[in-house]
Amino acid sequence: MTTVLLTGFEPFGGDAANPSGEAVHRVAAGWSGPETLVTAVLPVAFSAAAERLRALIAEHSPDAVVATGLAGGRAAIGVERVAVNLLDARIPDNDGQQPIDVPSVPGAPAAAFATLPVKAIVRDLRAAGIPAELSYSAGTYVCNHVFFSALHAVDPGVRTGFVHVPWSAEHAPDSDAATLPLAQIARAIDLVLRTTLDVDVDAALSGGTLH
Ligand code: PCA
């Protein structure tokens, strides 16, 4: 039986809600398989989030791991390609920790690539009418830490990656903010899982940036 681990995050940084955690609940409620879906909403805390994620991976031995988080200000679903082995927190996490210039995983390489079919995912999201883009930085905060930790923790062959989502229209911080409806964010995450499970070889599409 194929098992997928899907995570989102709790609210942080003064936001009342985190659409990633809310969308993960929606995806779980609508999941009809045939794969087993394991979901969790992680604390926005460096140590606790990575510990919880490693425990979930050890407990469920998932065949794929998709972590999601909020990137407030982005207008599209961001499929992350690169996790860096660096923590540099601009604000304290929900436990009050603010690591600056320390590795995510001491002794590990400087960076790691997502092993999801990232280009096929962006293609399929766009085909469904959902704004989506490849992203080359997941930042240096808790999301990047979870992303890097996941890539480091899984066995070879376990497809693993990270997806950033915009603010939800339901909890926009102000009327000018870029948002997507929560239902569309949840549909996007569902499609990310579907493409991850169904596409063996990533699409050979141009997805780079000039700068
Ligand atoms: N976004 C933050 C941490 C939790 C979340 O949802 C980030 O991008 O690091």
Side-chain angles (χ1 to χ4, degrees):
M1 174 56 97
T2 299
T3 299
V4 186
L5 173 61
L6 171 68
T7 68
F9 277 104
E10 291 174 345
F12 70 105
D15 280 338
N18 190 323
S20 68
E22 293 177 320
V24 161
H25 285 309
R26 287 199 185 202
V27 173
W31 188 253
S32 54
E35 303 85 3
T36 301
L37 179 66
V38 176
T39 59
V41 176
L42 303 176
V44 183
F46 285 95
S47 301
E51 245 167 62
R52 179 91 197 283
L53 184 86
R54 282 193 287 265
L56 287 162
I57 290 170
E59 182 184 350
H60 298 284
S61 300
D63 301 282
V65 179
V66 176
T68 69
L70 166 65
R74 288 202 200 169
I77 302 292
V79 183
E80 302 293 347
R81 294 196 84 176
V82 188
V84 291
N85 191 8
L86 176 69
L87 313 183
D88 187 354
R90 192 171 54 75
I91 56 172
D93 68 16
N94 287 355
D95 282 348
Q97 298 302 306
Q98 190 172 7
I100 293 176
D101 294 351
V102 299
S104 173
V105 178
F113 290 127
T115 53
L116 303 181
V118 290
K119 292 184 168 179
I121 288 170
V122 170
R123 176 198 65 198
D124 292 352
L125 291 173
R126 288 179 178 165
I130 300 170
E133 62 195 7
L134 287 169
S135 168
Y136 293 84
S137 174
T140 54
Y141 195 51
V142 179
C143 288
N144 173 71
H145 182 43
V146 159
F147 183 19
F148 192 88
S149 300
L151 284 165
H152 191 259
V154 295
D155 290 332
V158 175
R159 285 189 150 181
T160 301
F162 197 96
V163 174
H164 264 123
V165 305
W167 277 306
S168 71
E170 288 83 348
H171 284 110
D174 58 67
S175 55
D176 293 334
T179 65
L180 289 178
L182 185 58
Q184 199 174 36
I185 293 172
R187 169 138 170 73
I189 294 172
D190 198 74
L191 284 171
V192 169
L193 300 185
R194 209 59 271 156
T195 300
T196 297
L197 290 162
D198 293 349
V199 172
D200 285 339
V201 178
D202 198 5
L205 303 167
S206 168
T209 60
L210 287 186
H211 43 74

